[in-house]
Amino acid sequence: MPFSFSPDDPTFIIHRGGKMEIAPTVALSSRDDLSRAYTPGVADVCLAIADDPSLANTYTWVSHAVAVVTDGSAVLGLGNIGPRAAMPVMEGKAVLFKAFAGVDAVRICLDTTVTALAPSFGGINLEDISAPRCFEIERRLDAALPIPVFHDDQHGTAVVVLAALRNAARLLDRKLGDLRVVVVGAGAAGVAVTKMLIAGGVTGGDVVVCDSRGALYDERPDLSGAKAEVAALTNAAKLDGDVTTALRGADVLIGVSGGQIPESALAGMAGHGIVFALANPTPEVHPDVAVRYATVVATGRSDFPNQINNVLAFPGIFRGALDAGATRITEGMKLAAAEAIAGVVEANLAPDTIVPSALDPRVATAVAAAVAEAAGRDGVTR
């Protein structure tokens, strides 16, 4: 059945004609203006860049422009809907880049690779690409290109989750290294979240990652690729079984699967727990159910407290990387971003305030400064 909608729906109205436009940053009101912005004056600028390619960072928009790239194979919770249908999401992401961090972004939805596009941009934001292909695409682009490459579904999610968990632990007077964590979902987000939590201080052996077949452990015979890598880092007890088994005695549940977790599974968690049910629009556990078993609850939705929203991360991360002239985005830069996000609300922590609002204007500035500083520490600046 074709999808049914009303053109008069306010959501469709704001998308009509697209959500973005290109606007000039220079006046074009005289012949002199035209001669400098375009021919003949532009030729001298082109020749200067041809002689010294680094001048493109100064005399074009490359130093503050990001390509938001997808093949449409894993869009939101909608699945493989293709590059054309993915365009409204990518336009939305481009608008968020500009509104929250002053970063110009262009949405590119295509059926091929992006290496040839790299000279036109200062960074590549990969978006809505399915696992496991997303891991290989990012790895190959990161190795091939001298600019930051960032798969937001992996690392943006992971950064904000780490920020939220740090503040939740502080609120409950707990240490990250003492928490038993269950991550439900072993796709792009689940793999990245697990690695980021371990890098941020969670003990790897105390993390159990579950896919649709149950807990991952090092000797499970059906694992390969990213899942096998994660299994080697986690579940020191080699716990086997389903989500209910994994959650017995756990302090933290992080859902990034899109599936549903039964209430009975939450009942087995340790007291004063933490539940991040991040599937959107339908969380793995409804917040009204989660609060019966956890002290701190977060979702991916904007209509409940503690929204784990990637917009807290990616605008500032790219702003900081571009400002620093970073050639890549390091683990240290991501950890710095998480700490900066957490720091924005650290003085006002409450069960319903473990991360800033997605609209908080302080976030992108704080993240950008922390990321730029970390880029310098990590030696990846030009």
Side-chain angles (χ1 to χ4, degrees):
M1 292 287 294
F3 179 73
S4 177
F5 71 95
S6 169
D8 297 324
D9 184 321
T11 296
F12 280 83
I13 290 173
I14 70 164
H15 284 76
R16 189 174 295 153
K19 299 188 291 293
M20 53 191 291
E21 63 180 8
I22 294 176
T25 61
V26 296
L28 296 173
S29 55
S30 70
R31 294 181 67 177
D32 284 345
D33 291 341
L34 291 173
S35 70
R36 293 189 178 100
Y38 196 53
T39 185
V42 73
D44 290 341
V45 182
C46 292
L47 289 172
I49 294 172
D51 186 58
D52 180 1
S54 69
L55 293 177
N57 292 321
T58 303
Y59 296 109
T60 75
W61 78 335
V62 165
S63 64
H64 57 88
V66 168
V68 181
V69 179
T70 188
D71 62 359
S73 60
V75 180
L76 300 178
L78 308 176
N80 184 3
I81 61 174
R84 188 178 298 274
M87 283 194 285
V89 178
M90 302 309 118
E91 286 186 3
K93 181 60 68 75
V95 169
L96 295 177
F97 264 116
K98 186 66 173 179
F100 291 109
V103 172
D104 292 295
V106 175
R107 57 111 178 104
I108 298 175
C109 305
L110 73 178
D111 290 320
T112 185
T113 61
V114 301
T115 305
L117 298 170
S120 295
F121 298 97
I124 302 292
N125 183 92
L126 300 174
E127 188 79 16
D128 289 348
I129 300 174
S130 61
R133 64 193 300 180
C134 61
F135 305 120
E136 179 66 9
I137 289 171
E138 183 186 45
R139 185 192 67 76
R140 291 174 63 183
L141 287 175
D142 198 40
L145 301 178
I147 57 176
V149 177
F150 186 81
H151 184 207
D152 188 49
D153 301 305
Q154 291 185 65
H155 310 301
T157 303
V159 165
V160 184
V161 167
L162 176 58
L165 188 59
R166 282 184 170 177
N167 274 348
R170 287 168 178 154
L171 182 66
L172 299 177
D173 197 24
R174 306 285 298 275
K175 295 180 179 179
L176 290 182
D178 295 335
L179 298 175
R180 285 190 56 205
V181 179
V182 175
V183 178
V184 180
V191 168
V193 164
T194 300
K195 291 181 177 179
M196 181 61 61
L197 293 183
I198 294 172
V202 174
T203 303
D206 288 335
V207 179
V208 176
V209 181
C210 295
D211 65 5
S212 60
R213 298 185 179 182
L216 276 57
Y217 56 94
D218 197 21
E219 297 172 4
R220 208 178 93 174
D222 61 332
L223 299 181
S224 62
K227 287 187 180 183
E229 184 182 351
V230 165
L233 299 172
T234 59
N235 196 359
K238 301 189 186 304
L239 184 68
D240 191 6
D242 60 9
V243 172
T244 299
T245 302
L247 281 173
R248 288 177 188 147
D251 303 296
V252 181
L253 162 62
I254 298 173
V256 283
S257 68
Q260 293 296 292
I261 298 173
E263 182 175 352
S264 58
L266 269 67
M269 293 181 65
H272 301 291
I274 300 166
V275 171
F276 296 171
L278 305 183
N280 197 12
T282 305
E284 290 86 353
V285 180
H286 194 280
D288 292 342
V289 174
V291 295
R292 301 172 190 165
Y293 304 96
T295 303
V296 180
V297 175
T299 72
R301 291 172 50 146
S302 59
D303 53 347
F304 289 98
N306 297 326
Q307 185 190 19
I308 307 297
N309 191 324
N310 290 14
V311 75
L312 294 171
F314 67 81
I317 288 174
F318 270 99
R319 178 77 275 165
L322 294 170
D323 288 348
T327 57
R328 52 190 290 263
I329 294 175
T330 65
E331 194 86 337
M333 293 161 72
K334 290 181 281 187
L335 290 171
E339 190 61 39
I341 293 166
V344 171
V345 294
E346 186 176 359
N348 305 107
L349 289 182
D352 62 353
T353 310
I354 59 168
V355 287
S357 163
L359 301 175
D360 192 322
R362 300 172 295 171
V363 177
T365 301
V367 171
V371 167
E373 182 180 351
R377 288 197 306 268
D378 290 347
V380 294
T381 58
R382 293 187 181 89

